Amino acid sequence: METLQVLLVGGRQIPNFLGVMLLRPNKVHFLLSKGSENLLDPLYETLTKVEGLVLPDRDQIKPIDANDFQANISALEHVLNEYPNAQISFNLTCSSKVMAIAAYEVARERKDIKTFYADTSNGRIVWFKGKEADEMPIKISIEQYLTMYGRKPVFKDIFSKLTFSQEAAIKSANILASGCGKYLAFLERIRGTQGSGSRKVAIKNEIEINLALRLAELGIVDYSEENGYLIIRSNEDWNFLKGEWLEVFVWHEVKKLQEQTQEPFFDDFAVSLEIPMEGAKKEIDLACIYRAQLIHCSCKTGKNSFETRHLDELSAISNLIGGRFCTRVFATDRLLPNDLSTAKSFLDQAKQREIVVVTGKELPSIGDILKKQAKNPDYQRI
């Protein structure tokens, strides 16, 4: 059966986006308030990427006076005449009071029209008429979210090929994240170690000796204090120490957040995803779903972390899976560059792209930062 959802466009648009994602109509129609044309464009662009959804031509969507009650009645009746056999629902969330009342009045005249409100504050769909349930929780999985954009994620297992346990990986990631800069030179030498398979890394000072001993105690590396070097056993172990440890740390901080209360904060979360595409694959280091909204994080280590290309990569991925309807976070173990102009330039570039930056200084608080960005984001999810 043909299903149509009518979206009232006049304010914050994420409830319109969520209504489509959760109820999955195969067509949408827009009732656009005059003065809200700029709000329609990102919503329209995002919905074009939802698999199986048919939208009207953009140039056919004409604005209407949101406070003209009769004009709204007429516009909605025209929609009903245009789709006489469709199962129709009205999303009343994102409009002026007059437009919403007009839509409800039209719905009252037709028994088969459903009306609802997306209550994002409490994470639920509230039915006014034709309810499918008393309340419908706003909850989906990461896979469901990405599938709506025609993306089939591949979940990588970054633990199974390591020569040490997942528990050891988590503990070592906590150690490295707590260093606040003091391990950066050592980690950079690990990144620069050439070859494959087993690798030796020289130990140069007391800080590195202490770190090598702690990693050896966890079984992460083998350490020869007499010879002054540690041994990384495999390519997979090297990849972990090169940078995957940061993904593990951020993932585990979210995991701890989930376990702190009886009701998990995020509806779903995952570390290390790939989105297969023609040409280069796209990677998401950490993804979290909060009330059907995506918060995704890029984790970068190494001396080149503050290159703008990393922000461009994060933005490019975001544009494939929701754009400004999701929150983007850039996390690194590095401290901001000492050169103030370089640091300011990077932060300005991040701000222009609406990306939250978390440096090595703030890294231990990443769990709280992600929670804050989910509930009260620095850059409004439109």
Side-chain angles (χ1 to χ4, degrees):
M1 175 182 284
E2 184 179 54
T3 55
L4 174 74
Q5 192 171 118
V6 179
L7 309 180
L8 312 185
V9 181
R12 179 170 170 259
Q13 289 307 299
I14 203 162
N16 272 334
F17 172 58
L18 294 178
V20 172
M21 291 179 71
L22 291 164
L23 303 181
R24 298 312 306 271
N26 48 44
K27 288 186 177 181
V28 296
H29 184 91
F30 301 92
L31 193 64
L32 174 63
S33 301
K34 282 183 179 178
S36 299
E37 291 85 349
N38 63 319
L39 298 174
L40 175 63
D41 290 334
L43 175 64
Y44 188 92
E45 182 182 353
T46 299
L47 292 180
T48 60
K49 299 171 185 175
V50 177
E51 194 170 26
L53 183 65
V54 177
L55 283 72
D57 292 339
R58 174 63 181 86
D59 57 6
Q60 292 180 353
I61 305 170
K62 305 301 182 183
I64 188 172
D65 184 349
N67 294 313
D68 187 333
F69 184 74
Q70 194 55 51
N72 281 277
I73 293 283
S74 298
L76 288 163
E77 288 177 342
H78 177 75
V79 174
L80 301 187
N81 292 331
E82 190 175 350
Y83 300 95
N85 300 315
Q87 186 179 84
I88 298 176
S89 61
F90 292 166
N91 187 340
L92 307 184
T93 317
C94 303
S95 70
S96 69
K97 291 185 176 68
V98 172
M99 182 177 277
I101 293 170
Y104 188 73
E105 285 297 313
V106 169
R108 283 179 55 185
E109 298 299 318
R110 286 266 301 266
K111 293 181 179 180
D112 56 338
I113 296 179
K114 301 176 181 179
T115 59
F116 66 91
Y117 179 90
D119 179 10
T120 56
S121 296
N122 295 298
R124 61 184 182 172
I125 296 291
V126 179
W127 296 96
F128 293 150
K129 178 178 175 289
K131 63 184 179 182
E132 297 183 4
D134 289 338
E135 291 180 1
M136 181 178 179
I138 298 178
K139 287 188 178 182
I140 59 173
S141 68
I142 290 169
E143 187 167 12
Q144 287 172 320
Y145 178 97
L146 294 176
T147 299
M148 291 176 188
Y149 288 99
R151 314 295 175 189
K152 183 65 176 176
V154 175
F155 295 83
K156 296 195 302 179
D157 182 356
I158 61 178
F159 296 108
S160 63
K161 294 183 179 180
L162 298 174
T163 67
F164 43 87
S165 68
Q166 178 174 319
E167 182 183 4
I170 292 169
K171 288 181 178 179
S172 64
N174 285 328
I175 291 170
L176 295 173
S178 66
C180 197
K182 66 181 179 181
Y183 302 136
L184 295 180
F186 186 43
L187 290 171
E188 197 62 39
R189 289 210 311 283
I190 289 176
R191 291 175 62 87
T193 305
Q194 301 300 312
S196 61
S198 179
R199 305 169 194 216
K200 294 181 180 179
V201 182
I203 305 297
K204 294 191 173 182
N205 55 48
E206 195 67 29
I207 290 176
E208 294 180 1
I209 290 173
N210 291 334
L211 177 60
L213 286 170
R214 295 179 74 182
L215 294 179
E217 287 174 1
L218 291 171
I220 306 296
V221 299
D222 298 317
Y223 175 51
S224 172
E225 190 169 5
E226 180 180 350
N227 295 319
Y229 58 77
L230 61 76
I231 298 173
I232 300 171
R233 305 184 196 102
S234 69
N235 283 337
E236 288 76 16
D237 291 1
W238 178 73
N239 283 329
F240 174 81
L241 290 169
K242 186 179 75 167
E244 285 181 349
W245 68 265
L246 182 55
E247 296 176 38
V248 170
F249 172 76
V250 176
W251 165 79
H252 188 249
E253 290 300 295
V254 173
K255 187 173 183 291
K256 288 196 300 184
L257 180 67
Q258 294 292 88
E259 295 169 350
Q260 286 174 1
T261 57
Q262 188 173 2
E263 182 71 21
F265 180 77
F266 291 109
D267 297 328
D268 195 13
F269 70 105
V271 64
S272 196
L273 316 180
E274 288 183 2
I275 303 176
M277 300 187 65
E278 294 182 8
K281 63 188 177 184
K282 301 297 184 182
E283 296 184 349
I284 301 176
D285 294 332
L286 180 87
C288 303
I289 294 290
Y290 178 76
R291 294 176 179 170
Q293 303 161 71
L294 180 70
I295 296 90
H296 68 106
C297 183
S298 174
C299 300
K300 296 297 179 185
T301 60
K303 62 183 180 181
N304 298 323
S305 293
F306 291 110
E307 292 184 357
T308 306
R309 62 186 175 90
H310 297 313
L311 301 177
D312 292 335
E313 291 170 1
L314 181 53
S315 294
I317 292 170
S318 182
N319 288 335
L320 295 172
I321 54 176
R324 294 181 66 198
F325 285 93
C326 54
T327 291
R328 297 160 294 287
V329 178
F330 174 86
T332 179
D333 63 332
R334 309 290 295 192
L335 305 179
L336 281 171
N338 291 327
D339 182 76
L340 295 180
S341 62
T342 301
K344 183 179 184 302
S345 175
F346 183 84
L347 293 176
D348 287 345
Q349 292 290 331
K351 186 175 182 179
Q352 288 177 19
R353 293 161 176 79
E354 298 189 349
I355 295 173
V356 176
V357 175
V358 180
T359 71
K361 183 178 180 181
E362 300 89 28
L363 192 57
S365 301
I366 186 68
D368 291 334
I369 291 170
L370 290 172
K371 182 176 181 180
K372 188 266 180 188
Q373 293 304 321
K375 293 185 67 174
N376 183 27
D378 291 359
Y379 304 105
Q380 193 67 44
R381 293 187 289 272
I382 58 175

